C-alpha cells in the first residue's frame, strides 16, 4: 500500500513538474487558443523549406486571425478561388484565433523578429503597417505590383495612402469594416417609442429614457479594453471631425486641447449608461445583451453584424438595426485588413499571385459577402452584398474617412497599448484630469 | 565536447592511480550523458536569461531593435507606472492568500483523510483531480462560475447576496501608495478561489505523504504520556511536517509569482487592473505594444522575485547535503 502510494505521489510530482515547465514555455506565446494554432506555423515552415527548388510554385502561407464563423468562411472561399486559378501553388492557412487578433499579433511579432516571416499576413492598414513593419524594414514595396495589376485607381486614394509610406505602397487591402456603428434592438426602440439618435445630446436623451424603462441603454464588454477605446475614438471623431482627429494622432494637436477634454467628459457620461458587469464580458457577450433585449444598443465595428445575423440568428432591419455613432453621421471610421509581402520569403512570385487574386474584383467579392465586410475596391459588384453591405458601400464612397485608433490604424501599436491602459483605468476611476495627463504623457510616443 | 570530458576527468587529484582508469571511464559515460542537457540548459535557460537582462537595459521599445544602453531607464519607468504598481500589489496579495489557503486546506484535508476512513483513495483522487487540468481550463470554467450575472450568483440571489467577484473594483483597506491604492483588491479573491481549487490537491498529497512518514510509535508514546490528540498534532505532527510546508511554500510561491495562464484565461487585466499580474503585463507590453525592453525588465523583476524564495531554499538544501 505504502509503495503504491509513493508511486502515485511520484506520478503527481511528475505531473506538476510537467505543468510548471509548460507554463513557463508558453509565457511568451498565445495562451487562449489551443495548441494546434501554435503548432501550425512550424508545420508550414517545413513545407516551405521542402519546396525550395520550385521558384514560383511551393506553398503560400497565409497568416491571419480569421477563425470566427463568417470570416473563416470568407478566407476559405478566397483560398478555393486561388487554388482553382493556380493549382500548382499550395496554400497553407496559418490562422491564430483570439479576439481582434491580439494573439495572432503576438505570434507574428515573434516570427518576424526571428526572421521567419509567413508568406503574407493580415495587417491593418495605417500605423500598424507603416509605423510597425515598414518602419522595421520588414516589408517589400509593392509599387510595381500595383502598376502591373492596374490597381492604382481601383482603390480610393485615401485608402492607398493608408497603406503607403514615403511614396511606397506596402500592402493590398482586401476589405473595409466600419468602426463607428451602433447596433440596436429594434423591438426595444419601438416599444419605447425611440427614434434613432444622430447627435450626442439626442443619444443621452434616448439613454435616459431607456434607463427609466429599466433597460440598459448601452451594452459594453470591455474584458479587453479596446472596446472602450473604440467608444472613445468615436466620440473623439464626433468632437474633432476627421481632419483634426488625425491631427491629434499625428501629434499636431495636444491632448490637453479643450475639445479632447470635452470628449473625455462625454465618454465619462456615456460610461454611466453601460451594463454593470461590462468587465466580465467580451464584445460578443455584449452583443448578446442587445440581441436578448436586455440592453438597447452597443457600439462595435460592423463585424458584429455577422455575429447578430449568423450566431444570434436575428434578421437585419427587423430584429436589429444600425446607425452611425452620434455626431459622426457623415464620417467613416475605417478598419481595413490588408496583406503585404514580407522581406525574405522564399517564393515571392507565388505570394504576388495570391495578392493579385486577393486584390481582384472576383477575390474581393468571394471573400467579403461571407466575412460581412465591404470590398476595398471601388468597382466591386454591390448586388453580391446584403442591404447592410450596400448601405455601407454607399457611406464608404461618400463619407469622410478616418483611421481607427483602437485597431492600430491611427497610431503606432506602442501608443495604442498605452491608450488602452489609460482607458482601462479611466473606465473605473472616471477621473478626467488624470486621463488627460496620462494621454499627454503617452503622446510622446507618437 | 571531448575537451570538456578531458577537463572534468583531470579534476580528481585525490583518487589512487590504480583506480583512476576505471573511474574515469565511468565518469566519461556520466559526463557524456549529462553534457547535452547541460549545454542545452546553458544556452536556452541561462543564455537567454542573460540576453533578457541585456535587452532590459537597452532602448529596444519599438519593432526596430535598438541595443543602445539605456541604464535603468526601463526599470525606473516600471516602478513609476500605475499598472506595474498595481501588478506588484496584486501579486503580493495573491501570493499570500494563495499560499496560505493552499496550506491550510491541504493540511486540513490530509488530516481528515488520514483518519483511516473507508474509501480513502476515492477522496484522495477527487481532491487531486483538479490538478490534472490545465490552468487555462480552470480559468475558463471559473470565469463563468464567478461571472456576476450568470454563475454562482444565480444561486446566491436566493439569499439576496450578489457579489461582483472579479469585476469588483474595490480595494479593501486601501491607502495611497505611489500612484495606486494599496490594499486587498476584492477581485483577486475570485482568482485565488480558482487557483486554490486547483492546487489544494497538490499540498494535500504532499502532507498526506508527510503524515504517513510519521511513525505511529511517536504518537503512541505521546498518548502513553497522557497527551491529548490536539497536543499530539500541535507538538509532534505539525513540527514534523515542517519540511513539507517549506516545500509547499516554495513550489506554490513560484507558481503564484509567475502566474499568467489562469489570469489570462479567466479575467484578463480586469477593470482598473485589479486582477493584472506582471506576467500578463509582460506579455501585452512586449508583444502588443512592442516595448521589448520594458517587457524584459518585467521578466527580470519576476526572476528576482522568484529568486527571493528559491535561493535561500537552495542554499539550505546544499548545506543539508554536506
Amino acid at each position: 500500500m505504502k509503495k503504491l502510494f509513493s508511486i502515485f505521489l511520484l506520478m503527481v510530482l511528475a505531473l506538476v513538474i510537467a505543468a510548471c515547465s509548460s507554463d513557463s514555455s508558453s509565457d511568451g506565446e498565445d495562451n487562449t487558443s489551443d495548441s494546434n494554432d501554435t503548432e501550425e506555423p512550424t508545420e508550414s515552415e517545413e513545407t516551405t523549406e521542402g519546396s525550395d527548388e520550385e521558384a514560383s510554385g511551393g506553398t503560400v502561407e497565409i497568416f491571419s486571425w480569421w477563425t470566427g464563423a463568417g470570416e473563416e468562411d470568407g478566407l476559405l472561399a478566397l483560398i478555393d478561388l486561388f487554388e482553382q486559378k493556380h493549382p500548382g501553388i499550395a496554400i497553407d492557412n496559418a490562422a491564430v484565433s483570439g479576439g481582434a487578433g491580439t494573439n495572432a499579433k503576438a505570434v507574428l511579432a515573434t516570427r518576424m523578429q526571428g526572421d521567419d516571416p509567413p508568406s503574407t499576413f493580415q495587417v491593418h492598414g495605417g500605423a500598424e503597417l507603416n509605423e510597425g513593419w515598414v518602419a522595421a524594414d520588414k516589408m517589400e514595396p509593392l509599387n510595381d505590383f500595383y502598376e502591373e495589376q492596374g490597381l492604382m485607381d481601383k482603390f480610393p486614394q485615401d485608402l492607398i495612402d493608408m497603406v503607403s509610406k514615403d511614396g511606397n505602397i506596402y500592402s493590398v487591402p482586401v476589405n473595409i469594416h466600419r468602426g463607428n456603428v451602433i447596433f440596436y434592438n429594434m423591438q426595444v426602440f419601438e416599444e419605447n417609442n425611440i427614434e434613432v439618435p444622430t447627435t450626442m445630446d439626442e443619444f443621452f436623451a434616448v439613454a435616459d429614457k431607456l434607463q427609466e424603462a429599466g433597460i440598459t441603454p448601452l451594452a459594453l464588454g470591455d474584458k479587453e479594453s479596446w472596446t472602450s477605446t473604440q467608444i472613445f475614438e468615436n466620440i473623439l471623431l464626433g468632437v474633432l471631425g476627421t481632419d483634426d482627429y488625425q491631427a491629434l494622432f499625428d501629434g499636431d494637436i495636444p491632448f490637453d486641447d479643450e475639445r479632447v477634454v470635452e470628449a473625455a467628459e462625454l465618454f465619462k457620461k456615456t460610461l454611466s449608461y453601460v451594463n454593470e458587469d461590462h468587465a466580465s464580458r467580451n464584445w460578443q457577450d455584449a452583443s448578446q445583451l442587445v440581441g436578448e433585449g436586455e440592453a438597447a444598443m452597443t457600439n462595435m465595428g460592423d463585424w458584429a453584424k455577422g455575429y447578430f445575423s449568423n450566431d444570434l440568428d436575428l434578421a437585419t432591419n427587423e430584429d436589429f438595426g444600425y446607425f452611425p455613432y452620434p455626431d459622426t453621421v457623415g464620417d467613416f471610421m475605417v478598419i481595413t485588413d490588408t496583406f503585404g509581402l514580407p522581406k525574405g520569403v522564399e517564393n515571392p512570385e507565388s505570394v504576388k499571385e495570391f495578392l493579385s487574386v486577393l486584390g481582384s474584383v472576383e477575390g474581393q467579392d468571394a471573400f467579403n459577402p461571407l466575412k460581412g465586410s465591404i470590398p476595398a475596391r471601388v468597382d466591386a459588384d454591390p448586388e453580391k452584398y446584403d442591404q447592410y453591405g450596400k448601405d455601407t458601400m454607399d457611406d464608404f464612397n461618400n463619407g469622410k474617412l478616418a483611421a481607427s485608433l483602437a485597431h492600430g490604424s491611427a497610431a503606432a501599436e506602442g501608443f495604442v497599448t498605452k491608450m488602452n491602459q489609460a482607458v482601462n483605468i479611466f473606465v473605473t476611476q472616471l477621473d478626467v484630469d488624470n486621463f488627460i495627463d496620462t494621454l499627454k504623457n503617452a503622446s510622446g510616443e507618437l | 565536447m571531448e575537451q570538456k570530458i578531458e577537463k572534468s576527468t583531470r579534476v580528481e587529484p585525490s583518487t589512487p592511480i590504480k583506480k583512476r582508469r576505471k573511474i574515469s571511464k565511468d565518469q566519461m559515460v556520466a559526463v557524456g550523458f549529462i553534457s547535452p542537457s547541460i549545454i542545452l540548459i546553458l544556452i536556452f535557460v541561462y543564455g537567454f536569461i542573460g540576453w533578457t537582462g541585456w535587452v532590459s537595459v537597452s532602448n529596444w521599445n519599438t519593432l526596430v531593435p535598438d541595443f543602445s544602453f539605456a541604464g535603468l531607464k526601463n526599470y525606473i519607468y516600471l516602478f513609476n507606472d500605475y499598472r506595474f504598481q498595481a501588478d506588484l500589489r496584486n501579486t503580493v496579495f495573491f501570493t499570500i492568500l494563495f499560499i496560505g489557503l493552499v496550506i491550510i486546506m491541504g493540511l486540513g484535508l490530509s488530516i481528515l483523510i488520514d483518519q483511516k476512513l473507508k474509501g480513502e483513495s476515492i477522496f484522495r483522487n477527487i481532491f487531486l483531480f483538479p490538478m490534472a487540468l490545465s490552468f487555462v481550463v480552470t480559468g475558463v470554467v471559473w470565469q463563468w462560475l464567478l461571472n456576476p450575472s450568470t454563475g454562482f450568483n444565480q444561486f446566491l440571489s436566493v439569499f439576496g447576496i450578489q457579489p461582483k467577484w472579479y469585476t469588483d473594483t474595490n480595494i479593501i483597506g486601501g491607502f495611497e501608495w505611489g500612484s495606486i491604492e494599496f490594499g486587498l483588491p476584492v477581485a483577486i479573491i475570485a482568482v485565488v478561489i480558482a487557483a486554490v481549487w486547483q492546487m489544494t490537491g497538490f499540498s494535500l498529497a504532499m502532507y498526506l505523504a508527510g503524515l504517513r512518514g510519521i511513525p505511529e510509535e511517536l504518537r503512541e508514546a505521546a498518548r502513553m504520556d497522557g497527551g491529548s490528540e490536539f497536543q499530539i498534532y500541535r507538538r509532534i505532527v505539525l513540527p514534523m511536517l515542517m519540511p513539507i510546508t517549506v516545500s509547499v511554500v516554495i513550489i506554490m510561491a513560484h507558481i503564484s509569482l509567475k502566474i499568467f495562464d489562469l489570469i489570462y484565461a479567466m479575467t484578463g487585466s480586469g477593470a482598473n487592473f485589479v486582477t493584472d499580474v506582471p506576467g500578463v503585463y509582460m506579455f501585452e507590453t512586449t508583444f502588443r505594444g512592442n516595448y521589448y525592453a520594458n517587457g524584459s525588465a518585467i521578466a527580470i523583476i519576476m526572476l528576482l522575485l522568484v529568486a527571493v524564495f528559491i535561493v535561500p531554499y537552495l542554499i539550505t538544501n546544499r548545506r543539508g547535503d554536506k
Side-chain angles (χ1 to χ4, degrees):
Chain A
M1 184 64 207
K2 264 200 172 165
K3 202 178 173 190
L4 254 179
F5 183 72
S6 55
I7 290 173
F8 175 70
L9 198 74
L10 254 177
M11 281 170 66
V12 166
L13 269 171
L15 259 177
V16 170
I17 289 161
C20 296
S21 58
S22 74
D23 281 357
S24 47
S25 69
S26 56
D27 267 3
E29 285 164 40
D30 108 76
N31 269 62
T32 46
S33 56
D34 33 347
S35 56
N36 288 341
D37 291 338
T38 35
E39 273 164 30
E40 266 173 64
T42 15
E43 279 167 31
S44 52
E45 239 171 76
E46 284 157 25
T47 37
T48 26
E49 272 163 29
S51 52
D52 258 356
E53 302 95 278
E54 307 160 58
S56 71
T59 305
V60 175
E61 186 193 7
I62 305 164
F63 187 93
S64 72
W65 52 87
W66 285 329
T67 54
E71 50 193 30
E72 190 178 17
D73 298 340
L75 178 61
L76 293 178
L78 191 62
I79 291 173
D80 271 353
L81 181 71
F82 179 80
E83 281 173 343
Q84 279 169 26
K85 294 197 163 189
H86 303 277
I89 305 173
I91 289 279
D92 185 0
N93 178 7
V96 174
S97 66
T102 42
N103 295 325
K105 285 180 196 173
V107 175
L108 179 68
T110 320
R111 291 189 58 182
M112 295 291 272
Q113 296 289 354
D115 281 330
D116 171 33
S119 309
T120 183
F121 60 88
Q122 179 185 4
V123 59
H124 289 138
E128 186 180 319
L129 171 73
N130 296 329
E131 309 301 323
W133 302 119
V134 175
D137 197 25
K138 299 274 188 192
M139 304 300 290
E140 299 279 3
L142 291 171
N143 297 30
D144 296 343
F145 173 80
Y146 265 68
E147 296 286 349
E148 252 169 57
Q149 304 280 330
L151 290 175
M152 292 305 277
D153 55 350
K154 295 294 187 286
F155 298 107
Q157 190 55 45
D158 283 353
L159 194 62
I160 293 190
D161 289 345
M162 275 175 78
V163 295
S164 308
K165 191 178 168 127
D166 304 329
N168 286 325
I169 306 173
Y170 286 98
S171 71
V172 183
V174 59
N175 69 350
I176 302 289
H177 272 299
R178 186 176 194 180
N180 58 332
V181 191
I182 288 187
F183 291 92
Y184 69 104
N185 185 314
M186 293 188 91
Q187 248 174 337
V188 171
F189 266 46
E190 245 167 64
E191 278 165 19
N192 294 287
N193 280 323
I194 287 171
E195 294 280 312
V196 165
T198 53
T199 65
M200 284 308 275
D201 290 336
E202 285 176 30
F203 174 80
F204 289 131
V206 164
D208 281 331
K209 208 170 167 184
L210 284 163
Q211 211 158 37
E212 272 167 37
I215 296 161
T216 307
L218 189 69
L220 172 68
D222 68 344
K223 192 180 171 198
E224 288 169 88
S225 49
W226 60 264
T227 54
S228 313
T229 308
Q230 196 169 259
I231 294 180
F232 183 56
E233 77 179 7
N234 287 327
I235 296 174
L236 271 177
L237 178 63
V239 174
L240 292 168
T242 45
D243 293 340
D244 284 358
Y245 169 85
Q246 193 51 50
L248 179 71
F249 295 119
D250 290 343
D252 299 333
I253 292 178
F255 271 87
D256 50 5
D257 188 282
E258 56 184 13
R259 287 172 298 170
V260 180
V261 178
E262 189 196 332
E265 293 287 354
L266 287 171
F267 184 32
K268 180 178 170 180
K269 195 170 174 192
T270 307
L271 287 169
S272 64
Y273 294 107
V274 302
N275 47 309
E276 231 179 70
D277 61 348
H278 56 88
S280 67
R281 290 176 182 266
N282 56 25
W283 68 262
Q284 286 99 330
D285 302 330
S287 306
Q288 219 166 334
L289 284 180
V290 176
E292 289 162 358
E294 277 181 52
M297 303 176 271
T298 188
N299 162 240
M300 188 38 62
D302 56 12
W303 47 89
K305 196 243 145 201
Y307 185 75
F308 276 109
S309 47
N310 301 335
D311 298 59
L312 300 182
D313 236 349
L314 299 173
T316 319
N317 286 327
E318 279 175 38
D319 299 322
F320 74 95
Y322 44 85
F323 57 88
Y325 204 91
D327 279 341
T328 67
V329 176
D331 304 330
F332 197 104
M333 186 70 82
V334 178
I335 295 130
T336 176
D337 290 307
T338 73
F339 284 81
L341 176 62
K343 281 189 175 161
V345 297
E346 273 138 11
N347 41 3
E349 289 314 313
S350 304
V351 179
K352 280 185 183 167
E353 291 294 350
F354 176 75
L355 292 180
S356 90
V357 171
L358 181 100
S360 68
V361 176
E362 215 183 340
Q364 304 222 330
D365 282 347
F367 174 78
N368 286 305
L370 292 168
K371 159 92 164 123
S373 45
I374 62 167
R377 279 178 78 111
V378 287
D379 56 350
D381 179 8
E383 288 314 308
K384 295 219 162 119
Y385 296 83
D386 60 6
Q387 191 54 44
Y388 178 82
K390 284 176 196 157
D391 289 352
T392 314
M393 281 160 94
D394 259 4
D395 289 344
F396 179 63
N397 291 332
N398 301 321
K400 285 190 206 157
L401 307 190
S404 163
L405 173 76
H407 300 280
S409 293
E413 293 277 301
F415 178 77
V416 178
T417 312
K418 291 206 166 160
M419 181 83 170
N420 282 336
Q421 289 180 18
V423 166
N424 188 11
I425 296 166
F426 180 73
V427 170
T428 305
Q429 295 189 343
L430 300 173
D431 183 341
V432 173
D433 294 337
N434 195 1
F435 184 50
I436 296 291
D437 275 353
T438 316
L439 291 185
K440 195 151 192 262
N441 286 335
S443 66
E445 308 273 332
L446 288 171
Chain B
M1 254 220 339
E2 271 176 37
Q3 273 186 338
K4 273 206 167 167
I5 294 164
E6 274 175 29
K7 257 187 193 171
S8 56
T9 45
R10 246 179 265 145
V11 192
E12 31 165 71
S14 57
T15 34
I17 300 167
K18 264 189 186 173
K19 277 188 176 178
R20 196 173 199 172
R21 238 178 226 169
K22 229 181 184 178
I23 288 174
S24 65
K25 203 177 174 187
D26 271 1
Q27 283 201 329
M28 245 162 80
V29 174
V31 171
F33 275 113
I34 287 174
S35 54
S37 73
I38 289 208
I39 290 167
L40 288 178
I41 286 176
L42 277 181
I43 296 172
F44 288 104
V45 177
Y46 296 98
F48 283 111
I49 288 176
W51 171 250
T52 306
W54 168 237
V55 172
S56 78
V57 291
S58 75
N59 280 312
W60 186 11
N61 274 327
T62 56
L63 274 178
V64 191
D66 172 3
F67 295 111
S68 56
F69 185 67
L72 293 176
K73 197 187 82 185
N74 299 307
Y75 291 90
I76 293 166
Y77 169 80
L78 282 175
F79 282 107
N80 285 318
D81 184 31
Y82 180 92
R83 182 171 181 179
F84 194 67
Q85 290 178 1
D87 289 354
L88 290 179
R89 170 198 69 200
N90 298 342
T91 304
V92 165
F93 285 101
F94 179 80
T95 306
I96 293 172
L97 286 177
F98 173 64
I99 297 181
L101 283 173
V102 162
I103 287 177
I104 292 168
M105 305 241 332
L107 184 61
L109 287 173
S110 66
I111 288 175
L112 290 179
I113 284 183
D114 196 37
Q115 303 303 316
K116 318 236 160 34
L117 77 171
K118 262 191 183 167
E120 181 204 308
S121 59
I122 297 174
F123 287 110
R124 214 169 49 207
N125 289 333
I126 287 176
F127 290 126
L128 271 173
F129 191 66
M131 248 181 50
L133 297 176
S134 137
F135 261 134
V136 174
V137 177
T138 314
V140 172
V141 170
W142 283 91
Q143 174 201 350
W144 290 110
L145 287 177
L146 297 181
N147 185 299
S149 42
T150 57
F152 283 150
N153 281 14
Q154 304 268 26
F155 168 69
L156 288 175
S157 62
V158 177
F159 305 101
I161 340 170
Q162 290 283 325
K164 286 160 83 184
W165 299 114
Y166 56 84
T167 61
D168 199 320
T169 53
N170 288 319
I171 311 276
I172 298 175
F175 59 90
E176 291 261 318
W177 180 71
S179 51
I180 61 157
E181 206 181 343
F182 192 83
L184 169 64
V186 179
I188 212 83
I189 295 172
V191 186
V192 169
I193 291 173
V196 167
W197 175 82
Q198 172 144 19
M199 294 314 293
T200 295
F202 175 75
S203 75
L204 170 131
M206 298 274 286
Y207 278 120
L208 202 50
L211 285 170
R212 295 285 151 86
I214 296 172
E216 193 54 36
E217 293 81 32
L218 277 177
R219 301 190 194 205
E220 212 46 57
R223 276 189 205 108
M224 298 291 276
D225 288 342
S228 68
E229 279 304 305
F230 177 76
Q231 277 177 319
I232 293 173
Y233 274 103
R234 172 86 180 69
R235 307 269 175 204
I236 296 172
V237 176
L238 287 187
M240 290 194 76
L241 288 175
M242 223 22 222
I244 307 263
T245 308
V246 171
S247 304
V248 173
V249 168
I250 300 287
I251 291 168
M252 292 302 143
H254 101 97
I255 290 177
S256 88
L257 291 172
K258 295 195 305 191
I259 192 130
F260 169 85
D261 31 14
L262 177 71
I263 307 255
Y264 195 70
M266 184 171 164
T267 65
S269 313
N272 206 10
F273 300 117
V274 279
T275 56
D276 200 42
V277 289
V280 174
Y281 188 18
M282 174 175 77
F283 173 72
E284 290 193 345
T285 203
T286 311
F287 294 105
R288 289 184 198 161
N290 302 322
Y291 295 107
Y292 288 88
N294 280 349
S296 306
I298 297 174
I300 294 293
I301 294 168
M302 283 168 71
L303 177 75
L304 294 178
L305 285 177
V306 176
V308 167
F309 280 87
I310 300 282
V311 169
Y313 178 70
L314 292 180
I315 290 172
T316 46
N317 256 14
R318 250 181 78 98
R319 282 202 195 121
D321 284 352
K322 276 177 186 171

